[in-house]
């Protein structure tokens, strides 16, 4: 996925969605149910979250370098 093509708001929304799915999985696991999304168990989920985080960090570092 070309994460650079997405707006900052879109990246944030996708990242928050991953966090929501992870929280849901954790709650279901704590209740003794199987995780609905399988975020921790699925390599694609982990890669997606890592790529989003990396792109967000790259963007924030670029913003810190802009002159005011």
């Amino acid at each position: 996925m070309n994460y650079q093509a997405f707006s900052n708001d879109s990246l944030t929304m996708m990242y928050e969605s991953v966090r929501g799915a992870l929280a849901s999985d954790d709650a279901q696991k704590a209740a003794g149910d199987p995780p609905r999304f399988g975020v921790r168990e699925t390599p694609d989920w982990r890669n997606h979250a890592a790529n989003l985080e990396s792109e967000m960090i790259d963007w924030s570092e670029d913003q810190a370098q802009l002159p005011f």
Side-chain angles (χ1 to χ4, degrees), residues 10-49:
S10 295
L11 290 170
T12 301
M13 183 191 70
M14 285 189 279
Y15 188 72
E16 291 298 324
S17 295
V18 171
R19 290 181 59 178
L22 182 59
S24 174
D25 279 357
D26 289 346
Q28 289 173 324
K29 224 173 190 179
D33 297 324
R36 181 178 190 178
F37 300 104
V39 175
R40 294 187 196 282
E41 295 82 9
T42 308
D44 287 340
W45 268 108
R46 291 192 307 265
N47 290 337
H48 179 57

